[in-house]
Amino acid sequence: MSVFDLMVNGQMYTVDADESMPLLWVLRDLLGLTGTKFSCGMGLCGSCTVLIDDEPVRSCVTPVSQVTGKSILTIEGLSEDASHPVQKAWLEERVTQCGYCQPGQIMNAMALIKKKPNPSDTDIDVAMGDVFCRCGTYQRVRSAIHRAAQEV
Amino acid sequence: MNNKISRRDFLKLSGIAGGGLVLAIYLEGCLPGTDTPTVVPVTPQGSPTPIPSFDWVADIYIKIDQDGVLTFTAFRSEMGQGIRTALAMLVAEELDVAWSAVRIVQADANSKYGDQQTGGSVSMATYHDIMRQAGAMARQMLLEVAAKVWGVDSAGCESEAGFVIHPDGTQKLSYGELAESASKLERPNRHPLKAPEKFKIVGTALGHWDAPQIVTGKAVYGFDVRLPGMLYAAIARCPVFDGTYASYDDAVTKTITGVKQVVALDDRIAVLADNSWAAIRGRNALKVTWDEGRNATIDSQQMMIDATNRLKKATKENILEAYYEIPYEAHATMEPMNCTANVRDGVCEVWAPTQSPQAVQLAVAGACNIPLAQVTVHVPLIGGGFGRRLQADYAEEAALLSQAVAGPVQVVWTRDDDIQHDFYHPMAVQYAFASLDKPAIPAIRVGNGTSVPTGAWRSVDQFTRAYSEQSFIDELAVALGRDPLDLRLELYENDKRALGVIQLVAEKSNWGSPLPAEQGRGMGYFATFGVTHVADVAEVTVDANSNVRVNRIVCAVDCGTVVNPDNVIAQMQGGIVFGLTAALKAEATIKNGRVQQSNFHDYPILRMDEMPVVEVYIVSSDRKSSGIGEMGVPPVAPAVANAVYAATGKRIRHIPIKPEDLKV
């Protein structure tokens, strides 16, 4: 067990954790930030995505020891009231069905829009190709990204 | 409670003190052979009609507080199909409450809500009219109180967005002010329903009520339940169905920081820890010798051969016949199975992401030997159901472990647990045949496998049936030298609703228009559970490497009266994606009694970059509302298979269709 200082959503946290513990479980089980979701545990599906220094990272395969001193952004850090342009676009395009994968979809979309303020459909395919949704909301995720890109 | 109202009353009222609750209104459940409802609602045209007959309805719980907020207690599980939103829309519409003033809470398991099992896409068909009546009755009571205050006839009063409007058109009273008095009224004799052309909420495109919580990460799924002192449990289960452990060694497990306890259940071993990661690591570190039992040799490939041999018939002249194969399918909900339980002093509280709260209640009571009345089941949001969560296995595990450690426990299934310990859609081989002299919808015989746990999977046997039937009709058309659309128009000539969606999808897809080389177009149609008609046209490209890409799917749906048209579109889009995963990507295979897949690398689901453009057209209808949750799935796979044939001339009679199937 080691002590780690983590900057999550602009706030400092100190956690006592095994150094191999993935950031996902630190967020969910130690810090109570349950917006970031567990689904595959192997970095395959994107549900657990958070931004680390603006890069999309699969938190289920990222040991906590690798993220100290970095800026971690989770779904909870966007806005409390769904006022962030990406969240608004998600509501306006009525994207969500079961919603479980959507925090991961949104965090990957955030990273894409930061890098490419006006992403093409191909950009979306590349950036979002490994972010799975079993309910099948892909078409609306695509529309929401285009909408958000215009508003960010 | 207002004790003056007898149990025999169709409408029951109660003013309950505390918590700002001032009006609760619900419809008394009617069991077969007991009281028949006597209330006569009024149709939009104003003429009385008898209440539709039903055997069993839930009590409907709605309340209006002093601020005029309408709280609807949802008694069907929400797993993305939008039912909480759609039911609340109907109540809010008739009651005349603004959508922004609607709150939704989820009911615990309780027989007072009727049968809460959420499956078969029946919620809307069962409750559409009842929700309207509940809202209309509450509105009428508010109108009567206001009329009394003003000393006018309630028939002259109107309502709008949470207010009763005086016949003079200027004075108004808010529902919040009126609710308490309304709660003391007897039930109204008449509660006119709104004319549909006056609808302000029903028929509009609304996102799910839960969406703001979802996009802020605040929505609470089963996995997000957190109780003080809760332990997390990961479980080692025998990889062979119905097997058990012979022995195990937990020495390494117990050295892992955070691991608190190892608990052996009858046939599985749980590792409990103070965080999920430690529990999973601890579970993975167990050295278990399994007693695999009688299923250790089962093999899905052999099952398919055996089932085909059982079905084989001697070929007859002028009979077209074909065999179609579908594999076992896993549900692969994005939220793996999980459940949280707290068993203390003979009382059990469960937080189960379940489609069947009452089945969970029953299973937990039985497993823990606790009276049913002492088992409370809360239902959080569900990260995908598709039928998997009609089962209660995950809840039994949580309750047994909580009972064993006398404290709260959350059972955490990993993805491999989820894929390998599912209740699978059954594999099937189907023998379809029809006369070439008198072409008809084919007769179909089905053979299944054995010894594998199976269960409902989005659209159940309708998926199986539609795949063979609609593939075969395409083959029949080819054998007869007919256009598949023309043949369908002939085969379904006596079914207006079938023709409606088939003609609409043909028109919208430009059926018959030329396509570039390597492309093909195929059609599938099915009336799932006989109630909702869906037709799809798929356009595919098969490239030089035999990769199938679905470019576009045009879908026409007739689900009767539509409540939330955007959600109908969403469910068709989602059903199509689910169907495409089955048609082109995933299958569960079994060898040596073990499911060979474990995660999304070998159970791949459709991806964003494979998503076709989907266009959905809704047939306008004032028929009885029918379901949409499962109905988008069945026509997809045959539409794609038929399109692949059109593109390549190769008839593939199994799914998923893989590039190697097309390389010859």
Side-chain angles (χ1 to χ4, degrees), chain A residues 1 18 20-22 25 28-30 32 34-42 44-45 47 60 75-76 78-83 87-88 90-91 93-94 96-103 105-106 124-126 128-142 145, chain B residues 79-80 205-208 211-212 214-219 221 223-224 226 232 257 275-277 280-281 330-336 382-384 386 412-415 457-458 566 569-571 573-575 577-578 581 599-601 603 605-609 611-615:
Chain A
M1 297 285 274
D18 187 294
S20 66
M21 188 173 189
W25 300 115
R28 292 184 52 81
D29 295 357
L30 305 188
T34 55
T36 304
K37 301 305 184 199
F38 166 64
S39 185
C40 73
M42 287 175 65
L44 299 170
C45 76
S47 289
C60 74
I75 187 74
E76 290 94 342
L78 264 62
S79 84
E80 281 264 331
D81 57 356
S83 59
Q87 291 169 320
K88 277 166 67 181
W90 244 250
L91 296 180
E93 293 294 333
R94 301 181 291 273
T96 68
Q97 290 189 32
C98 91
Y100 192 79
C101 74
Q102 297 300 339
Q105 301 279 356
I106 289 172
I124 292 172
D125 283 344
V126 170
M128 307 297 289
D130 290 318
V131 192
F132 297 164
C133 172
R134 184 68 158 146
C135 294
T137 62
Y138 296 123
Q139 190 158 311
R140 292 172 186 232
V141 168
R142 185 186 300 280
I145 291 171
Chain B
M79 51 198 139
L206 286 184
H208 291 186
I214 290 168
V215 302
T216 49
K218 290 181 197 159
Y221 296 85
F223 250 126
D224 303 331
R226 294 288 179 267
Y232 299 83
T257 311
N275 66 75
S276 310
W277 169 240
I280 294 166
R281 280 177 81 200
H331 295 80
T333 60
M334 292 309 289
E335 179 190 25
I382 298 175
F386 315 125
V412 173
W413 285 46
T414 56
R415 177 59 57 193
W457 179 91
R458 196 174 186 177
D566 187 66
I569 294 169
Q571 287 304 301
Q573 292 170 335
V577 171
F578 203 87
T581 288
N599 209 316
F600 293 123
H601 64 289
Y603 197 86
I605 63 176
L606 199 83
R607 300 156 50 95
M608 168 69 87
D609 52 5
M611 178 72 196
V613 173
V614 174
E615 298 167 29

Side-chain angles (χ1 to χ4, degrees), chain B residues 258-393:
Chain B
V259 169
K260 298 291 180 195
Q261 221 171 322
V262 176
V263 177
L265 299 174
D266 279 354
D267 60 353
R268 58 198 75 186
I269 304 138
V271 175
L272 285 76
D274 59 16
N275 66 75
S276 310
W277 169 240
I280 294 166
R281 280 177 81 200
R283 185 274 304 267
N284 295 349
L286 285 173
K287 292 187 179 70
V288 187
T289 306
W290 296 108
D291 173 0
E292 297 180 354
R294 65 195 162 85
N295 291 327
T297 58
I298 61 174
D299 182 308
S300 53
Q301 207 178 353
Q302 188 59 44
M303 277 184 224
M304 191 69 81
I305 294 165
D306 294 345
T308 306
N309 286 339
R310 285 196 299 273
L311 285 176
K312 280 266 188 219
K313 298 273 182 265
T315 307
K316 288 180 189 154
E317 216 163 287
N318 263 353
I319 296 287
L320 182 71
E321 56 181 4
Y323 294 83
Y324 300 93
E325 297 175 354
I326 62 170
Y328 287 107
E329 308 270 1
H331 295 80
T333 60
M334 292 309 289
E335 179 190 25
M337 296 305 108
N338 67 87
C339 187
T340 307
N342 193 7
V343 184
R344 283 266 172 93
D345 306 323
V347 176
C348 180
E349 202 171 1
V350 179
W351 288 260
T354 179
Q355 294 174 241
S356 194
Q358 290 151 342
V360 164
Q361 192 180 31
L362 210 65
V364 164
C368 297
N369 198 20
I370 293 172
L372 197 70
Q374 302 302 315
V375 179
T376 303
V377 179
H378 309 295
V379 184
L381 277 184
I382 298 175
F386 315 125
R388 174 63 179 88
R389 286 177 158 109
L390 291 165
Q391 311 289 340
D393 52 328

Side-chain angles (χ1 to χ4, degrees), chain A:
Chain A
M1 297 285 274
S2 312
V3 173
F4 299 97
D5 291 326
L6 301 178
M7 173 71 83
V8 185
N9 302 330
Q11 204 178 321
M12 282 300 292
Y13 294 87
T14 302
V15 297
D16 195 6
D18 187 294
E19 62 182 27
S20 66
M21 188 173 189
L23 174 62
L24 170 70
W25 300 115
V26 172
L27 293 170
R28 292 184 52 81
D29 295 357
L30 305 188
L31 302 182
L33 293 170
T34 55
T36 304
K37 301 305 184 199
F38 166 64
S39 185
C40 73
M42 287 175 65
L44 299 170
C45 76
S47 289
C48 67
T49 304
V50 299
L51 299 195
I52 295 180
D53 294 340
D54 290 345
E55 287 296 318
V57 166
R58 305 299 191 244
S59 68
C60 74
V61 289
T62 304
V64 61
S65 55
Q66 290 182 10
V67 296
T68 53
K70 296 180 179 175
S71 171
I72 302 162
L73 182 69
T74 73
I75 187 74
E76 290 94 342
L78 264 62
S79 84
E80 281 264 331
D81 57 356
S83 59
H84 187 283
V86 176
Q87 291 169 320
K88 277 166 67 181
W90 244 250
L91 296 180
E92 281 156 8
E93 293 294 333
R94 301 181 291 273
V95 173
T96 68
Q97 290 189 32
C98 91
Y100 192 79
C101 74
Q102 297 300 339
Q105 301 279 356
I106 289 172
M107 298 314 289
N108 281 281
M110 289 278 295
L112 170 61
I113 294 168
K114 268 187 203 255
K115 231 175 258 169
K116 301 207 170 183
N118 194 12
S120 66
D121 280 334
T122 307
D123 294 332
I124 292 172
D125 283 344
V126 170
M128 307 297 289
D130 290 318
V131 192
F132 297 164
C133 172
R134 184 68 158 146
C135 294
T137 62
Y138 296 123
Q139 190 158 311
R140 292 172 186 232
V141 168
R142 185 186 300 280
S143 305
I145 291 171
H146 285 309
R147 180 189 281 265
Q150 285 168 3
E151 290 170 14
V152 166

Side-chain angles (χ1 to χ4, degrees), chain B residues 11-13 23-27 41-44 60 62-64 68 70 89-98 130-148 150 153-167 173-183 185-195 198-201:
Chain B
L11 172 69
K12 218 174 175 188
L13 311 171
L23 170 66
I25 174 172
Y26 61 96
L27 308 178
V42 173
T43 63
I60 307 302
I62 59 181
K63 68 176 186 179
I64 297 166
L70 166 66
M89 284 170 77
L90 289 160
V91 177
E93 180 68 70
E94 290 292 347
L95 193 42
D96 258 336
V97 169
I130 293 165
M131 303 316 297
R132 290 187 65 190
Q133 288 167 23
M137 284 189 194
R139 172 183 174 273
Q140 185 63 34
M141 291 158 67
L142 293 159
L143 251 61
E144 285 178 12
V145 171
K148 209 169 163 188
W150 289 322
D153 183 350
S154 67
C157 297
E158 288 294 336
S159 59
E160 196 183 338
F163 289 90
V164 179
I165 314 292
H166 191 281
L173 287 166
S174 75
Y175 285 3
E177 294 171 85
L178 299 168
E180 187 170 2
S181 304
S183 73
L185 285 188
E186 296 286 330
R187 64 175 168 82
N189 290 324
R190 283 164 53 92
H191 57 282
L193 296 178
K194 255 190 206 177
K198 290 190 174 168
F199 284 170
K200 291 176 187 145
I201 297 171

